[in-house]
Amino acid sequence: MSLSDKVSFRDIKAQILARIRDRVWAPGAIMPGEVELSHEFGCARATVNRAMRELADEGFIDRRRKTGTRVNANPIRQAKFEIPLVRVEIEASGAAYRYALVSCESPPTPDWLRARLGLGPDDKVLHLQCMHYADNAPFQFEDRWINKATVPDIDCSDFETLSPNEWLVNQVPFTEAEISFSATAANESNADLLALPVGEPVFTAERITWLKTRPITFARMFFGRGYRMTTRF
Amino acid sequence: MSLSDKVSFRDIKAQILARIRDRVWAPGAIMPGEVELSHEFGCARATVNRAMRELADEGFIDRRRKTGTRVNANPIRQAKFEIPLVRVEIEASGAAYRYALVSCESPPTPDWLRARLGLGPDDKVLHLQCMHYADNAPFQFEDRWINKATVPDIDCSDFETLSPNEWLVNQVPFTEAEISFSATAANESNADLLALPVGEPVFTAERITWLKTRPITFARMFFGRGYRMTTRF
DNA sequence: CAGTGGTCTAGACCACCAG
DNA sequence: TGGTGGTCTAGACCACTGC
């Protein structure tokens, strides 16, 4: 490191984090402003700004105009989970991926779904169920409803060999999504498909997507035994 | 909007996203470079840079020197979950929070824990179990091990009224964390505390934290019936 | 009103890497 | 080796908000 080296926003982030960790600036306390720090570190204010902005995004500090920047007392750390396609997730684990369509039909729209997605009285839906296997072991059972009003050119034949998951990604962009995770008990239909006893705990994901304000699809995904969703930071 | 208004990186992000959504730039295709876009939008390159950098962070595009920027074919969208303190989570829901210590002791370190945390043969641990209630209903059962080598000044008396969760946040900063979620079956000890039948599905979180390379704590958190972790984007 | 963060600019140099 | 993204600078003006 020579004197001519420019100071990077990464160095500044690390410095600030170290000072927070070592309680140089106590939780809840105001820390120096951008101008002061840029003098101390001998760099431009923009550089300090980027460092502090990223720290704020990551939940370490709280920034407010006029008041200044405060060290976050209860760091609401946020965990990021990557949500890849099932196929990609399975292939990344080194296993062979296999897809199978279980059923596909166009039933009358159930009331609960109408309520959940905010569908109009005449909106039709497609209902399909399919399986994703990893090395021929059941990995995920997918139970999906698709709004025909938003996705008109759709037909069960589309899903003979391609998962709806992937078909939708390629055909219908979405702008909003809601995901939730929970633990449910295997019922008769998914216990059978996942090769589990009825009542067994199943890691379950629900996902709704919209294009602007128009609902596209509602999906429930039931994962096979022992599934874990993990992240590090 | 007047001609004199400066172009914001937000506008540019929105524009680019719209073009990706509308397949103006197809998935997998190279999109124009920063210089070209800055001319088109009539702004500085730095502004385009910030817009594109954020889109890259969010997983929409893939940037490489020399090659240029590519629209991501399989958008590995990442879901961010906020991981607040249990107390904060409960209070935010409008419920009254209550904490209760179930047990606290210093047993011989179990081998599985030694392996899991990479503890040395002489490292001692503290084991404690506690409950978090929301409006007096069981919300979360916490089963935690703390490494005394990393956290020397620790004693069961610290946790009579303050949850270990909160104590650690205030006393011991961490640098690394690993979190994983799964669905498990209630066993006899947690079924009783959570007021659930044995075998009932339980949403379960495991968390390990380190200070640099030294393990601090391993915790398992079992959530009461119907718990959901939700996010939107 | 005044102080702090938020953003944009114009220009510069650097780092990486495909051809 | 040239082209593209990555970053820093110095300066400017704006926007929000506590006093």
Side-chain angles (χ1 to χ4, degrees):
Chain A
M1 187 163 82
S2 73
L3 286 175
S4 65
D5 283 346
K6 288 188 179 167
V7 180
S8 160
F9 73 96
R10 294 168 201 283
D11 304 331
I12 299 185
K13 272 183 78 170
Q15 274 292 325
I16 294 178
L17 265 182
R19 291 187 194 179
I20 291 176
R21 217 187 38 229
D22 302 340
R23 301 286 194 273
V24 175
W25 299 318
I30 293 280
M31 50 184 275
E34 297 188 348
V35 182
E36 188 174 340
L37 287 176
S38 68
H39 290 152
E40 182 194 334
F41 290 119
C43 66
R45 181 167 79 98
T47 307
V48 175
N49 179 277
R50 176 156 180 197
M52 294 179 86
R53 178 157 38 82
E54 293 196 357
L55 288 170
D57 286 344
E58 291 159 20
F60 291 103
I61 59 181
D62 194 29
R63 317 196 73 195
R64 283 183 150 166
R65 285 162 166 153
K66 170 75 178 179
T67 313
T69 299
R70 213 172 264 284
V71 177
N72 226 319
N74 296 103
I76 300 184
R77 311 236 2 201
Q78 32 200 348
K80 274 189 201 167
F81 294 91
E82 299 191 340
I83 314 284
L85 288 175
V86 211
R87 176 176 61 74
V88 175
E89 186 175 3
I90 290 174
E91 286 171 351
S93 76
Y97 172 73
R98 186 164 67 82
Y99 161 78
L101 183 61
V102 174
S103 70
C104 181
E105 47 185 10
S106 301
T109 310
D111 287 336
W112 63 266
L113 183 67
R114 200 185 296 287
R116 188 74 180 265
L117 292 185
L119 296 177
D122 296 329
D123 289 342
K124 307 293 181 203
V125 293
L126 194 72
H127 178 213
L128 48 87
Q129 300 186 314
C130 59
M131 286 293 302
H132 306 273
Y133 297 91
D135 280 343
N136 284 324
F139 181 85
Q140 182 192 102
F141 168 55
E142 177 179 347
D143 185 65
R144 184 182 289 269
W145 302 77
I146 300 175
N147 180 10
K148 287 187 177 173
T150 309
V151 193
D153 304 325
I154 193 175
D155 193 275
C156 283
S157 63
D158 293 323
F159 307 114
E160 295 295 341
T161 58
L162 186 65
S163 87
N165 198 327
E166 236 156 311
W167 188 90
L168 285 169
V169 165
N170 290 323
Q171 302 290 324
V172 190
F174 67 90
T175 56
E176 311 286 324
E178 180 182 305
I179 301 188
S180 68
F181 298 100
S182 59
T184 62
N187 61 25
E188 280 171 21
S189 76
N190 57 28
D192 190 37
L193 288 160
L194 291 171
L196 297 174
V198 170
E200 184 88 351
V202 173
F203 189 84
T204 304
E206 281 190 12
R207 178 182 176 128
I208 304 180
T209 58
W210 292 265
L211 177 58
K212 315 267 187 177
T213 58
R214 305 169 63 194
I216 301 173
T217 181
F218 169 72
R220 279 204 195 97
M221 284 139 302
F222 302 93
F223 289 82
R225 162 172 266 136
Y227 181 79
R228 285 174 157 253
M229 199 173 64
T230 302
T231 193
R232 272 184 93 121
F233 55 78
Chain B
M1 187 163 82
S2 73
L3 287 174
S4 65
D5 284 346
K6 288 188 181 168
V7 179
S8 162
F9 74 95
R10 294 169 201 283
D11 304 331
I12 299 184
K13 273 182 77 171
Q15 274 292 324
I16 294 177
L17 266 181
R19 292 185 193 181
I20 291 175
R21 219 188 38 230
D22 301 341
R23 301 288 194 273
V24 175
W25 300 317
I30 294 281
M31 49 184 276
E34 296 188 350
V35 183
E36 187 174 339
L37 286 176
S38 68
H39 290 153
E40 182 195 333
F41 290 119
C43 67
R45 181 167 79 99
T47 307
V48 175
N49 180 279
R50 176 157 180 197
M52 294 179 88
R53 178 159 36 82
E54 293 196 357
L55 288 171
D57 286 344
E58 291 159 20
F60 292 103
I61 60 181
D62 193 29
R63 317 197 73 196
R64 285 185 152 170
R65 284 163 168 153
K66 171 72 180 179
T67 315
T69 299
R70 214 172 263 285
V71 176
N72 226 319
N74 294 95
I76 299 185
R77 310 230 10 194
Q78 31 200 352
K80 273 191 200 165
F81 293 91
E82 299 191 338
I83 313 285
L85 288 173
V86 211
R87 177 176 60 73
V88 175
E89 186 176 3
I90 290 173
E91 286 172 351
S93 77
Y97 172 73
R98 185 164 67 82
Y99 162 79
L101 183 61
V102 173
S103 71
C104 181
E105 48 186 10
S106 302
T109 310
D111 287 336
W112 64 265
L113 183 66
R114 200 186 296 288
R116 187 76 181 264
L117 291 186
L119 296 177
D122 295 329
D123 289 342
K124 308 290 182 205
V125 294
L126 194 72
H127 178 212
L128 49 86
Q129 301 187 313
C130 59
M131 285 294 302
H132 306 273
Y133 297 90
D135 279 343
N136 284 324
F139 181 83
Q140 181 192 102
F141 168 55
E142 175 178 348
D143 185 65
R144 183 183 289 269
W145 303 78
I146 300 175
N147 179 11
K148 287 187 177 172
T150 309
V151 193
D153 304 326
I154 193 173
D155 193 276
C156 282
S157 63
D158 293 323
F159 306 113
E160 295 293 342
T161 58
L162 186 63
S163 87
N165 197 327
E166 235 156 312
W167 189 89
L168 285 169
V169 164
N170 289 324
Q171 302 290 324
V172 190
F174 67 91
T175 56
E176 311 286 323
E178 180 182 305
I179 300 187
S180 68
F181 298 100
S182 59
T184 64
N187 61 26
E188 280 172 19
S189 76
N190 58 27
D192 189 38
L193 288 160
L194 291 172
L196 296 175
V198 170
E200 184 89 350
V202 174
F203 190 84
T204 304
E206 281 191 12
R207 179 183 175 127
I208 305 180
T209 57
W210 292 265
L211 178 57
K212 313 265 187 180
T213 57
R214 306 170 60 195
I216 301 173
T217 182
F218 169 72
R220 278 203 196 97
M221 283 138 308
F222 302 92
F223 290 82
R225 162 173 267 134
Y227 181 79
R228 286 173 156 254
M229 199 173 65
T230 302
T231 193
R232 271 185 92 122
F233 55 79

